[in-house]
Amino acid sequence: MPKAAAPGDMIACPECDALLRAVPLGPTERARCPRCGSLLVSPRVRSFLQVVALAFTALILMMAAVFFPFLGIAAHGLSHESSVIEVALAFSDGWLAPLSVAVLAVIVGLPMLRFCAIIYVLWPLANGRPAWPKARAAFRLAEGLTPWSMAEIFIVGTAVALVKIGGLATISIGPAFWAFCGLVIVTTLKNAFMSRWSIWAALERS
Ligand SMILES: [Zn+2]
């Protein structure tokens, strides 16, 4: 192990809650939990770049997921294809308007805000520059939004609905559905690469 850190510098394993003493690591070193082996601190600079790249990918996939046709439904010779944004706008002038705003915010707005905040925080750090102003506030915002980013739940809900409607109409899956699936995978990868501890540590230093 490299040199010891200050006594107050403790880090909790997110998997098994083991309380460990944090030590400063070089840019290419990684730290694993000695009890359960989960990754605590990943190699810093490369992981920041990976997270930025994944967040950009997620932003582009989100655009595709919102504007491309999501589902097509055909029954009795009639067919209709719509995108997520069309469905949301279809409800925008009735008493369901607040609901459609809330749904768009949770499925699209909050995840996009989170990706943008992460890019804002990590872009200068990944390039070895000092953090931009308000980077800590932006990262705290990104952390706070995590439980509210519900693209995954949306996909599961859609899959359940498809099984139910499947008997009544012919359903075709549009490119936006696959963009959403890609988004879920990219988001999971990004969360796996993102070491909160090393981002906070890098923000403290700059
Ligand atoms: Zn552990």
Side-chain angles (χ1 to χ4, degrees):
M1 279 280 197
K3 353 167 217 352
D9 245 8
M10 301 300 273
I11 174 172
C13 171
E15 295 298 324
C16 71
D17 286 334
L19 199 58
L20 306 157
R21 187 176 305 282
V23 291
L25 294 179
T28 56
E29 286 177 305
R30 68 181 71 221
R32 285 186 185 280
C33 173
R35 197 193 313 178
C36 70
S38 71
L39 187 66
L40 298 174
V41 182
S42 46
R44 201 163 55 233
V45 170
R46 212 189 56 203
S47 85
F48 287 177
L49 263 181
Q50 281 165 337
V51 171
V52 167
L54 288 169
F56 263 120
T57 314
L59 269 180
I60 293 164
L61 284 173
M62 183 60 101
M63 301 278 187
V66 171
F67 292 104
F68 280 123
F70 188 76
L71 283 181
I73 294 181
H76 312 298
L78 294 169
S79 71
H80 185 68
E81 242 187 10
S82 47
S83 65
V84 170
I85 196 94
E86 281 168 348
V87 172
L89 291 180
F91 291 109
S92 66
D93 49 0
W95 56 276
L96 283 174
L99 181 68
S100 77
V101 170
V103 167
L104 263 191
V106 170
I107 296 174
V108 181
L110 296 185
M112 285 185 91
L113 185 61
R114 187 163 166 259
F115 299 144
C116 290
I118 288 169
I119 293 170
Y120 180 85
V121 171
L122 290 185
W123 179 256
L125 299 180
N127 287 294
R129 299 220 179 84
W132 283 333
K134 303 261 182 253
R136 284 159 186 241
F139 190 55
R140 205 168 296 130
L141 175 74
E143 295 263 81
L145 288 177
T146 310
W148 294 99
S149 300
M150 296 195 184
E152 298 91 330
I153 295 167
F154 180 65
I155 284 292
V156 175
T158 309
V160 171
L162 285 185
V163 172
K164 297 239 177 200
I165 308 171
L168 306 172
T170 312
I171 291 167
S172 59
I173 288 172
F177 182 85
W178 300 113
F180 255 112
C181 292
L183 189 65
V184 171
I185 295 170
V186 167
T187 310
T188 312
L189 278 177
K190 181 177 66 60
N191 291 343
F193 279 125
M194 203 165 95
S195 151
R196 275 155 199 84
W197 188 85
S198 43
I199 293 173
W200 278 121
L203 286 176
E204 293 292 331
R205 250 178 279 119
S206 71

